[in-house]
Amino acid sequence: MAFDFDFDLLRELTETPGVPGYEDRVRDRVRAVLEDAVDEVRTDAMGNVVGTVEGSGDHEVAVAAHMDEIGFMVKHVTDDGFLKVDALGGWDARVLRAQRVRVHTGQGDLTGVIGSVPPHTLSEEERETDDAVEDVVIDLGMDGDAVVDLVDVGDLVTMEQTTVEMGETVTGKALDDRVCLFAMLEAARELDDPHATVHFCATVQEEVGLRGAEALGVDVDPDLAIALDVTIASDTAGVAEDKQVTRLGEGTAVKLKDGSVITNPKVTRRLRDVAEAEGIDHQMEVLPSGGTDTAAFQTANGAKPVGAISIPTRYLHTVTETAHGDDVRATIDLLAAFLASEDGSHDYSL
């Protein structure tokens, strides 16, 4: 299907590698987009990008979406040329068997695979052993001497996957959180002559503890912050309805809580009011665990009113993360409409 947004940009953002602390390639693309959409673009010592649209009033809003994706760092090269790695972000080891990866070295990118032992050779005890991230071994298809010449401790590893249309959805790696980063960039493109000054913040190191957003909460110090991230959509076979959190195709999600934050109820109410007034499909999100940049902005520099908009996504933290095209569009529309109507007159104090 033809999506009602710039699918080529979304594909580029999701396929571009960028693990926590090393978001350089993504940052370059984000800067290029923001420079054509905002009044000023700057970066900081951590690598956060802030694109500011100057408003006509003195009210300031920060919008945040993170650039980093989960990945690995090389910690050891064996004599036989296999790579042992340390996780950057939270992996479910079950999804890593027999995956193709890219190893990013000072001499260029290399293709590798995470090996999987054939079941024919496993003992009954080995078959019952749970997978663990620390057991991941990457095979580069070269002997030990060749690998030692090419790979250093500290080199980075990302999963290799293309982003494609699948029915009414888009699927690929790093939709967490590049699909929300994309939605933020699209809203920045659409925002015209706002009353509030809006800081579009592409943050770093979210997957290892909301670190970039915590720093920006102090440096930007907005009157209001809205964070964008993906949320769980487990609306698949065999999952009980009360475990699904959100459902694909039923609209963008307005967050009530997750494991790190309870959003400001007045901000949440206004997000719902804007969605209803604009006829934007939406659903409510109650996420039992996990955290987003919302929490960092809420308390980084004193108490701040915060809200959050989420894109329902299946198969999180895998290479087949999947979001519905209509939900992506609804997220762009809600964010753009909310920012356009944010004039400083709303009292979010409790």
Side-chain angles (χ1 to χ4, degrees):
M1 64 175 292
F3 294 122
D4 187 20
F5 51 76
D6 186 351
F7 176 73
D8 288 339
L9 175 59
L10 175 58
R11 177 169 53 199
E12 183 180 359
L13 289 171
T14 51
E15 292 182 0
T16 299
V19 299
Y22 298 86
E23 300 89 350
D24 311 62
R25 300 187 202 189
V26 184
R27 180 163 47 247
D28 289 344
R29 190 67 187 100
V30 168
R31 283 194 63 111
V33 174
L34 284 175
E35 283 170 355
D36 291 333
V38 304
D39 298 313
E40 178 191 8
V41 181
R42 64 188 187 277
T43 58
D44 63 19
M46 289 187 71
N48 295 300
V49 181
V50 180
T52 299
V53 176
E54 295 291 343
S56 57
D58 57 4
H59 187 60
E60 296 192 22
V61 180
V63 180
H66 69 90
M67 293 185 287
D68 55 315
E69 65 182 294
I70 55 176
F72 300 96
M73 179 180 285
V74 175
K75 66 179 182 181
H76 179 68
V77 181
T78 73
D79 291 341
D80 293 327
F82 296 102
L83 308 183
K84 299 289 290 183
V85 294
D86 191 53
L88 295 172
W91 281 105
D92 179 351
R94 296 174 302 170
V95 309
L96 293 173
R97 287 192 182 212
Q99 295 285 355
R100 186 173 294 153
V101 301
R102 297 293 288 172
V103 181
H104 309 286
T105 79
Q107 301 182 60
D109 292 353
L110 303 172
T111 295
V113 296
I114 297 174
S116 180
V117 178
H120 317 71
T121 63
L122 294 176
S123 67
E124 196 63 36
E125 181 180 353
E126 289 171 329
R127 290 173 189 266
E128 296 176 358
T129 302
D130 291 335
D131 292 333
V133 173
E134 55 266 28
D135 294 331
V136 166
V137 176
I138 295 173
D139 183 352
L140 293 175
M142 292 180 265
D143 65 33
D145 291 340
V147 173
V148 167
D149 287 341
L150 293 171
V151 180
D152 294 321
V153 170
D155 285 344
L156 307 167
V157 180
T158 57
M159 310 306 288
E160 185 173 284
Q161 180 66 284
T162 56
T163 299
V164 298
E165 300 177 32
M166 182 175 71
E168 298 176 341
T169 69
V170 55
T171 183
K173 75 167 183 69
L175 267 66
D176 179 8
D177 189 34
R178 308 278 172 71
V179 68
C180 292
L181 179 65
F182 166 76
M184 184 183 76
L185 294 176
E186 289 290 87
R189 285 169 159 177
E190 296 180 9
L191 189 62
D192 183 36
D193 195 25
H195 182 279
T197 292
V198 181
H199 305 286
F200 293 98
C201 305
T203 65
V204 298
Q205 299 192 43
E206 190 271 355
E207 294 289 1
V208 290
L210 318 181
R211 297 173 187 173
E214 187 173 3
L216 278 181
V218 177
D219 294 342
V220 175
D221 191 22
D223 299 299
L224 166 68
I226 302 293
L228 280 70
D229 212 327
V230 296
T231 191
I232 292 172
S234 297
D235 53 339
T236 55
V239 179
E241 187 173 346
D242 64 346
K243 301 290 187 183
Q244 294 177 3
V245 183
T246 59
R247 298 180 64 85
L248 258 60
E250 295 191 2
T252 189
V254 177
K255 185 188 293 289
L256 293 168
K257 71 170 290 290
D258 59 30
S260 66
V261 70
I262 298 172
T263 55
N264 181 292
K266 290 185 177 180
V267 178
T268 299
R269 180 68 262 178
R270 205 172 89 72
L271 284 166
R272 295 178 69 178
D273 288 345
V274 170
E276 290 165 3
E278 297 293 329
I280 299 169
D281 288 338
H282 61 287
Q283 52 192 310
M284 305 309 297
E285 176 201 355
V286 176
L287 185 63
S289 62
T292 67
D293 283 344
T294 323
F297 272 97
Q298 188 176 43
T299 59
N301 197 26
K304 297 292 180 182
V306 296
I309 305 172
S310 305
I311 296 181
T313 306
R314 290 175 182 163
Y315 322 123
L316 287 178
H317 284 205
T318 75
V319 296
T320 56
E321 294 175 332
T322 302
H324 198 287
D326 290 347
D327 298 340
V328 178
R329 183 67 250 177
T331 301
I332 299 166
D333 291 344
L334 178 55
L335 178 60
F338 181 90
L339 294 174
S341 62
E342 185 60 29
D343 58 9
S345 66
H346 302 281
D347 179 12
Y348 297 120
S349 61
L350 302 176

